[in-house]
């Protein structure tokens, strides 16, 4: 595994030496154009798995925002697509080896907490892992990180403070919440959503948590922003559809892109 991760990192190094990486999730692939952009497809990168979910582009761009070099991953890998946990975190680990110090993750989620509405942007403060796996299972490559990494402040408080400041300056309204990850691909039942709410979840989705665990394992700082695309099952009065999730994502995507564009140059890495 270390060998293919090193090959991927070496390949990406040809594109630049970014210290910040951004992962753009469902329906968000277009929101962050870069200056001087160099683009490769996932399939060009040695060892990278191939994406299959609709709404995902499957490309990596390296370029600049306001003078800061940044890597943007457009599209991501989900467990429900059939990838192994190790494949899902392969990109994040490759970025860590490349020298990335801060990772900005985005996703689409269902809103569970009182008062959330489709289109809301929510800074993830913590997570609950209900995926049924941990991507660090198996032999621990010590070059990557410790066997038992701490997750107390997985979502970096200092990076969240920067996001709050930038959102205030841009007049973008933001909330904070706890993200619960499920395996999917079926949406939740109303009873599951009730249970998740009782557990302390504000948002539900099918991604992000594996990448966060792998990033923290490798000592990469994490900021994660969720776009609520729908009210979760049973809170919504109608059945959920993937089209709804992608549709609202597009409408709110510009604002999320704006927020990320402005906070990237200010991240302390
Ligand atoms: N549930 C799970 N994942 C999601 C949802 C949801 O309601 N909306 C967007 N991703």
């Amino acid at each position: 595994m270390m060998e293919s991760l090193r090959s991927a990192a070496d390949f990406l190094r040809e594109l630049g030496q970014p210290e910040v990486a951004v992962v753009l999730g469902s329906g968000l692939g277009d929101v962050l154009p870069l200056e001087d952009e160099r683009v490769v497809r996932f399939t060009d990168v040695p060892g990278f798995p191939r994406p299959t979910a609709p709404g995902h582009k499957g490309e990596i761009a390296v370029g600049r925002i306001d003078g800061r070099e940044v890597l943007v991953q457009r599209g991501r890998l989900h467990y429900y697509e059939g990838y192994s946990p190790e494949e899902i975190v392969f990109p994040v680990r490759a970025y860590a080896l490349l020298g990335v110090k801060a990772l900005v993750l985005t996703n689409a989620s269902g809103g569970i907490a009182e008062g959330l509405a489709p289109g809301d942007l929510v800074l993830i403060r913590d997570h609950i892992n209900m995926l049924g796996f941990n991507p660090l299972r198996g032999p621990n490559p010590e070059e990557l990180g410790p066997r038992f990494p701490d997750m107390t402040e997985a979502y970096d408080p200092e990076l969240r403070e920067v996001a709050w400041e930038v959102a205030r300056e841009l007049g973008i309204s933001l909330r904070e919440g706890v993200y619960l990850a499920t395996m999917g691909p079926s949406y939740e039942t109303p009873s599951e959503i009730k249970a998740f709410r009782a557990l302390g979840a504000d948002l539900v989705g099918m991604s992000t948590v594996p990448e966060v665990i792998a990033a923290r394992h490798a000592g990469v700082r994490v900021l994660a922003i969720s776009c609520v695309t729908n009210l979760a099952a049973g809170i919504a009065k109608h059945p959920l559809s993937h089209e709804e999730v992608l549709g609202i994502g597009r409408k709110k995507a510009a604002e999320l892109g704006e927020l990320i564009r402005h906070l990237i140059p200010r991240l302390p890495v």
Side-chain angles (χ1 to χ4, degrees):
M1 173 178 70
M2 287 310 299
E3 208 167 302
S4 48
L5 282 172
R6 273 192 215 98
S7 309
D10 290 343
F11 178 89
L12 293 171
R13 202 166 288 116
E14 303 281 315
L15 302 178
Q17 189 66 73
E19 286 191 313
V20 175
V22 182
V23 175
L24 297 174
S26 299
L28 298 168
D30 297 328
V31 304
L32 201 61
L34 304 176
E35 301 149 34
D36 249 344
E37 192 171 287
R38 285 87 70 195
V39 183
V40 294
R41 305 202 46 81
F42 284 7
T43 45
D44 299 329
V45 187
F48 254 61
R50 186 185 296 254
T52 67
H56 288 254
K57 286 178 109 170
E59 65 182 40
I60 294 171
V62 177
R64 277 179 294 103
I65 294 178
D66 245 9
R68 172 168 267 182
E69 196 154 49
V70 53
L71 179 152
V72 178
Q73 177 187 319
R74 298 181 179 132
R76 65 142 61 83
L77 312 164
H78 302 83
Y79 192 58
Y80 63 73
E81 294 175 83
Y83 298 113
S84 69
E86 205 170 272
E87 286 177 307
I88 291 167
V89 299
F90 186 94
V92 167
R93 288 178 153 170
Y95 307 153
L97 290 183
L98 175 63
V100 162
K101 303 282 184 278
L103 179 66
V104 179
L105 298 164
T106 63
N107 64 37
S109 63
I112 298 178
E114 204 74 47
L116 282 179
D120 283 351
L121 298 180
V122 183
L123 219 44
I124 299 178
R125 162 161 49 85
D126 203 354
H127 73 225
I128 299 173
N129 182 4
M130 296 286 262
L131 283 162
F133 70 86
N134 188 299
L136 307 183
R137 178 175 180 267
N140 183 56
E142 289 292 327
E143 312 96 291
L144 280 182
R147 172 76 290 187
F148 300 107
D150 176 56
M151 291 287 144
T152 309
E153 289 188 329
Y155 299 81
D156 197 285
E158 198 186 346
L159 302 195
R160 276 190 278 142
E161 198 40 56
V162 173
W164 274 114
E165 271 170 32
V166 173
R168 266 193 296 272
E169 287 168 18
L170 296 174
I172 291 174
S173 66
L174 207 55
R175 294 188 45 166
E176 253 188 43
V178 175
Y179 176 88
L180 183 146
T182 65
M183 188 191 298
S186 54
Y187 290 113
E188 301 68 36
T189 64
S191 299
E192 285 167 341
I193 292 300
K194 266 191 209 153
F196 294 164
R197 185 200 283 248
L199 289 176
D202 300 309
L203 306 167
V204 61
M206 304 173 192
S207 69
T208 306
V209 165
E211 291 109 308
V212 172
I213 293 173
R216 293 308 303 135
H217 177 241
V220 174
R221 300 172 80 174
V222 171
L223 179 71
I225 308 169
S226 189
C227 181
V228 176
T229 52
N230 57 281
L231 298 182
I235 299 174
K237 296 296 168 241
H238 55 274
L240 307 185
S241 74
H242 190 56
E243 286 63 41
E244 177 186 11
V245 167
L246 292 178
I248 309 268
R250 264 193 292 278
K251 273 190 232 154
K252 207 61 188 180
E255 199 169 276
L256 181 53
E258 182 81 349
L259 177 62
I260 295 173
R261 185 159 44 252
H262 284 84
L263 67 80
I264 278 180
R266 308 230 312 239
L267 293 177
V269 292

Short mmCIF file of all heavy atoms in Angstrom, two decimals, residues 4-40:
data_model
loop_
_atom_site.label_atom_id
_atom_site.label_comp_id
_atom_site.label_asym_id
_atom_site.label_seq_id
_atom_site.Cartn_x
_atom_site.Cartn_y
_atom_site.Cartn_z
N SER A 4 2.19 2.13 -3.52
CA SER A 4 1.27 2.77 -4.47
C SER A 4 0.90 4.18 -4.00
O SER A 4 0.70 5.08 -4.82
CB SER A 4 0.02 1.92 -4.73
OG SER A 4 -0.53 1.46 -3.55
N LEU A 5 0.85 4.40 -2.68
CA LEU A 5 0.60 5.77 -2.19
C LEU A 5 1.74 6.71 -2.59
O LEU A 5 1.51 7.85 -3.01
CB LEU A 5 0.43 5.78 -0.67
CG LEU A 5 -0.92 5.30 -0.13
CD1 LEU A 5 -0.86 5.16 1.38
CD2 LEU A 5 -2.02 6.26 -0.54
N ARG A 6 2.97 6.20 -2.45
CA ARG A 6 4.13 7.02 -2.84
C ARG A 6 4.14 7.32 -4.33
O ARG A 6 4.43 8.44 -4.74
CB ARG A 6 5.44 6.34 -2.42
CG ARG A 6 5.82 6.69 -0.99
CD ARG A 6 7.24 6.29 -0.64
NE ARG A 6 7.26 5.89 0.75
CZ ARG A 6 7.20 4.63 1.18
NH1 ARG A 6 7.20 3.63 0.32
NH2 ARG A 6 7.18 4.37 2.46
N SER A 7 3.77 6.32 -5.15
CA SER A 7 3.70 6.55 -6.60
C SER A 7 2.66 7.63 -6.92
O SER A 7 2.89 8.50 -7.77
CB SER A 7 3.31 5.28 -7.36
OG SER A 7 4.12 4.23 -6.99
N ALA A 8 1.51 7.55 -6.25
CA ALA A 8 0.46 8.54 -6.49
C ALA A 8 0.95 9.93 -6.09
O ALA A 8 0.77 10.91 -6.82
CB ALA A 8 -0.81 8.18 -5.71
N ALA A 9 1.59 10.02 -4.91
CA ALA A 9 2.09 11.32 -4.43
C ALA A 9 3.16 11.86 -5.39
O ALA A 9 3.15 13.06 -5.71
CB ALA A 9 2.64 11.18 -3.02
N ASP A 10 4.04 10.99 -5.88
CA ASP A 10 5.08 11.43 -6.82
C ASP A 10 4.45 11.95 -8.11
O ASP A 10 4.88 12.96 -8.66
CB ASP A 10 6.04 10.27 -7.16
CG ASP A 10 6.91 9.90 -5.96
OD1 ASP A 10 7.00 10.73 -5.02
OD2 ASP A 10 7.48 8.80 -5.96
N PHE A 11 3.43 11.24 -8.59
CA PHE A 11 2.73 11.67 -9.80
C PHE A 11 2.11 13.06 -9.59
O PHE A 11 2.24 13.95 -10.44
CB PHE A 11 1.64 10.65 -10.15
CG PHE A 11 0.82 11.02 -11.35
CD1 PHE A 11 1.20 10.63 -12.63
CD2 PHE A 11 -0.36 11.76 -11.20
CE1 PHE A 11 0.43 10.98 -13.74
CE2 PHE A 11 -1.13 12.12 -12.30
CZ PHE A 11 -0.73 11.72 -13.58
N LEU A 12 1.45 13.25 -8.45
CA LEU A 12 0.76 14.53 -8.19
C LEU A 12 1.77 15.67 -8.00
O LEU A 12 1.47 16.83 -8.31
CB LEU A 12 -0.15 14.41 -6.96
CG LEU A 12 -1.36 13.47 -7.14
CD1 LEU A 12 -2.06 13.24 -5.81
CD2 LEU A 12 -2.33 14.05 -8.17
N ARG A 13 2.94 15.33 -7.49
CA ARG A 13 3.99 16.36 -7.26
C ARG A 13 4.41 17.03 -8.56
O ARG A 13 4.83 18.18 -8.57
CB ARG A 13 5.19 15.73 -6.54
CG ARG A 13 6.04 16.74 -5.80
CD ARG A 13 7.01 16.09 -4.82
NE ARG A 13 6.33 15.55 -3.65
CZ ARG A 13 6.31 14.26 -3.34
NH1 ARG A 13 6.94 13.36 -4.07
NH2 ARG A 13 5.66 13.85 -2.25
N GLU A 14 4.26 16.31 -9.68
CA GLU A 14 4.55 16.89 -11.00
C GLU A 14 3.62 18.08 -11.30
O GLU A 14 3.94 18.95 -12.10
CB GLU A 14 4.35 15.86 -12.11
CG GLU A 14 5.17 14.59 -11.95
CD GLU A 14 6.61 14.78 -12.39
OE1 GLU A 14 6.81 15.38 -13.46
OE2 GLU A 14 7.51 14.36 -11.64
N LEU A 15 2.44 18.06 -10.65
CA LEU A 15 1.46 19.13 -10.90
C LEU A 15 1.69 20.34 -9.99
O LEU A 15 1.19 21.43 -10.26
CB LEU A 15 0.03 18.63 -10.65
CG LEU A 15 -0.44 17.42 -11.46
CD1 LEU A 15 -1.85 17.04 -11.05
CD2 LEU A 15 -0.39 17.72 -12.95
N GLY A 16 2.40 20.13 -8.89
CA GLY A 16 2.64 21.23 -7.95
C GLY A 16 2.87 20.71 -6.55
O GLY A 16 2.94 19.50 -6.33
N GLN A 17 2.97 21.65 -5.61
CA GLN A 17 3.29 21.28 -4.23
C GLN A 17 2.28 21.93 -3.28
O GLN A 17 2.64 22.77 -2.44
CB GLN A 17 4.72 21.73 -3.92
CG GLN A 17 5.30 21.24 -2.60
CD GLN A 17 5.50 19.73 -2.56
OE1 GLN A 17 6.39 19.20 -3.19
NE2 GLN A 17 4.64 19.05 -1.81
N PRO A 18 0.98 21.58 -3.42
CA PRO A 18 -0.04 22.26 -2.61
C PRO A 18 0.03 21.86 -1.13
O PRO A 18 0.37 20.73 -0.81
CB PRO A 18 -1.35 21.77 -3.22
CG PRO A 18 -1.01 20.45 -3.81
CD PRO A 18 0.41 20.55 -4.28
N GLU A 19 -0.30 22.81 -0.26
CA GLU A 19 -0.40 22.52 1.19
C GLU A 19 -1.85 22.41 1.63
O GLU A 19 -2.13 22.05 2.77
CB GLU A 19 0.30 23.62 1.99
CG GLU A 19 1.81 23.54 1.91
CD GLU A 19 2.47 24.46 2.90
OE1 GLU A 19 2.06 25.64 2.98
OE2 GLU A 19 3.38 23.99 3.60
N VAL A 20 -2.77 22.78 0.71
CA VAL A 20 -4.20 22.69 1.02
C VAL A 20 -4.86 21.85 -0.07
O VAL A 20 -4.58 22.03 -1.26
CB VAL A 20 -4.84 24.10 1.05
CG1 VAL A 20 -6.34 24.00 1.25
CG2 VAL A 20 -4.22 24.95 2.16
N ALA A 21 -5.73 20.92 0.35
CA ALA A 21 -6.52 20.15 -0.61
C ALA A 21 -8.00 20.32 -0.28
O ALA A 21 -8.37 20.47 0.88
CB ALA A 21 -6.13 18.67 -0.56
N VAL A 22 -8.81 20.31 -1.34
CA VAL A 22 -10.26 20.46 -1.18
C VAL A 22 -10.93 19.27 -1.87
O VAL A 22 -10.56 18.91 -2.98
CB VAL A 22 -10.76 21.76 -1.86
CG1 VAL A 22 -12.26 21.95 -1.65
CG2 VAL A 22 -9.99 22.97 -1.36
N VAL A 23 -11.89 18.65 -1.20
CA VAL A 23 -12.68 17.59 -1.83
C VAL A 23 -14.10 18.12 -2.03
O VAL A 23 -14.76 18.51 -1.07
CB VAL A 23 -12.71 16.31 -0.96
CG1 VAL A 23 -13.63 15.26 -1.58
CG2 VAL A 23 -11.30 15.74 -0.79
N LEU A 24 -14.53 18.14 -3.29
CA LEU A 24 -15.87 18.64 -3.61
C LEU A 24 -16.81 17.46 -3.82
O LEU A 24 -16.56 16.61 -4.67
CB LEU A 24 -15.82 19.51 -4.86
CG LEU A 24 -14.98 20.79 -4.73
CD1 LEU A 24 -14.89 21.51 -6.06
CD2 LEU A 24 -15.53 21.72 -3.66
N GLY A 25 -17.88 17.42 -3.05
CA GLY A 25 -18.80 16.27 -3.06
C GLY A 25 -19.94 16.42 -4.06
O GLY A 25 -19.86 17.21 -5.00
N SER A 26 -21.00 15.66 -3.84
CA SER A 26 -22.16 15.55 -4.74
C SER A 26 -22.64 16.89 -5.25
O SER A 26 -23.01 17.77 -4.47
CB SER A 26 -23.33 14.88 -4.01
OG SER A 26 -22.99 13.60 -3.59
N GLY A 27 -22.68 17.06 -6.56
CA GLY A 27 -23.26 18.25 -7.18
C GLY A 27 -22.43 19.50 -6.98
O GLY A 27 -22.86 20.60 -7.31
N LEU A 28 -21.21 19.37 -6.43
CA LEU A 28 -20.41 20.55 -6.11
C LEU A 28 -19.15 20.66 -6.98
O LEU A 28 -18.31 21.53 -6.76
CB LEU A 28 -20.00 20.52 -4.62
CG LEU A 28 -21.16 20.55 -3.63
CD1 LEU A 28 -20.68 20.23 -2.22
CD2 LEU A 28 -21.84 21.92 -3.64
N GLY A 29 -19.04 19.78 -7.97
CA GLY A 29 -17.81 19.67 -8.75
C GLY A 29 -17.35 20.94 -9.46
O GLY A 29 -16.17 21.09 -9.74
N ASP A 30 -18.30 21.86 -9.74
CA ASP A 30 -17.94 23.01 -10.59
C ASP A 30 -17.60 24.28 -9.82
O ASP A 30 -17.30 25.30 -10.42
CB ASP A 30 -19.14 23.38 -11.50
CG ASP A 30 -19.47 22.25 -12.44
OD1 ASP A 30 -18.54 21.52 -12.83
OD2 ASP A 30 -20.67 22.09 -12.77
N VAL A 31 -17.68 24.25 -8.50
CA VAL A 31 -17.75 25.51 -7.77
C VAL A 31 -16.42 26.20 -7.51
O VAL A 31 -16.41 27.32 -7.02
CB VAL A 31 -18.49 25.36 -6.40
CG1 VAL A 31 -19.88 24.80 -6.63
CG2 VAL A 31 -17.71 24.51 -5.44
N LEU A 32 -15.31 25.55 -7.85
CA LEU A 32 -14.04 26.14 -7.43
C LEU A 32 -13.02 26.15 -8.58
O LEU A 32 -12.10 25.33 -8.58
CB LEU A 32 -13.50 25.38 -6.21
CG LEU A 32 -12.49 26.11 -5.35
CD1 LEU A 32 -13.06 27.37 -4.74
CD2 LEU A 32 -11.98 25.17 -4.24
N PRO A 33 -13.18 27.08 -9.53
CA PRO A 33 -12.18 27.17 -10.60
C PRO A 33 -10.88 27.74 -10.03
O PRO A 33 -10.91 28.55 -9.11
CB PRO A 33 -12.81 28.14 -11.61
CG PRO A 33 -13.83 28.91 -10.84
CD PRO A 33 -14.23 28.09 -9.66
N LEU A 34 -9.73 27.29 -10.55
CA LEU A 34 -8.44 27.73 -10.05
C LEU A 34 -7.71 28.53 -11.12
O LEU A 34 -7.98 28.38 -12.31
CB LEU A 34 -7.58 26.51 -9.66
CG LEU A 34 -8.20 25.55 -8.66
CD1 LEU A 34 -7.28 24.35 -8.47
CD2 LEU A 34 -8.45 26.24 -7.33
N GLU A 35 -6.77 29.36 -10.70
CA GLU A 35 -5.88 30.02 -11.66
C GLU A 35 -4.81 29.01 -12.07
O GLU A 35 -4.33 28.26 -11.23
CB GLU A 35 -5.19 31.23 -11.00
CG GLU A 35 -6.14 32.30 -10.47
CD GLU A 35 -5.56 33.02 -9.25
OE1 GLU A 35 -4.32 33.19 -9.19
OE2 GLU A 35 -6.35 33.36 -8.36
N ASP A 36 -4.47 29.03 -13.37
CA ASP A 36 -3.34 28.21 -13.83
C ASP A 36 -3.56 26.73 -13.59
O ASP A 36 -2.65 26.01 -13.15
CB ASP A 36 -2.09 28.59 -13.00
CG ASP A 36 -1.08 29.30 -13.86
OD1 ASP A 36 -1.22 29.22 -15.09
OD2 ASP A 36 -0.19 29.92 -13.28
N GLU A 37 -4.78 26.28 -13.89
CA GLU A 37 -5.19 24.95 -13.45
C GLU A 37 -4.55 23.82 -14.28
O GLU A 37 -4.59 23.85 -15.49
CB GLU A 37 -6.72 24.92 -13.59
CG GLU A 37 -7.40 23.79 -12.96
CD GLU A 37 -8.92 23.99 -12.97
OE1 GLU A 37 -9.44 24.82 -12.20
OE2 GLU A 37 -9.58 23.28 -13.74
N ARG A 38 -3.94 22.85 -13.61
CA ARG A 38 -3.48 21.61 -14.25
C ARG A 38 -4.42 20.50 -13.79
O ARG A 38 -4.60 20.33 -12.58
CB ARG A 38 -2.05 21.25 -13.82
CG ARG A 38 -0.95 22.08 -14.46
CD ARG A 38 -0.65 23.37 -13.71
NE ARG A 38 0.01 23.15 -12.43
CZ ARG A 38 0.12 24.08 -11.48
NH1 ARG A 38 -0.42 25.29 -11.62
NH2 ARG A 38 0.75 23.80 -10.37
N VAL A 39 -5.00 19.77 -14.75
CA VAL A 39 -6.04 18.79 -14.39
C VAL A 39 -5.64 17.38 -14.83
O VAL A 39 -5.15 17.19 -15.94
CB VAL A 39 -7.39 19.15 -15.07
CG1 VAL A 39 -8.49 18.16 -14.64
CG2 VAL A 39 -7.81 20.57 -14.71
N VAL A 40 -5.85 16.42 -13.94
CA VAL A 40 -5.72 15.00 -14.32
C VAL A 40 -6.98 14.27 -13.89
O VAL A 40 -7.70 14.72 -13.01
CB VAL A 40 -4.48 14.33 -13.66
CG1 VAL A 40 -3.19 14.93 -14.18
CG2 VAL A 40 -4.54 14.41 -12.14
#
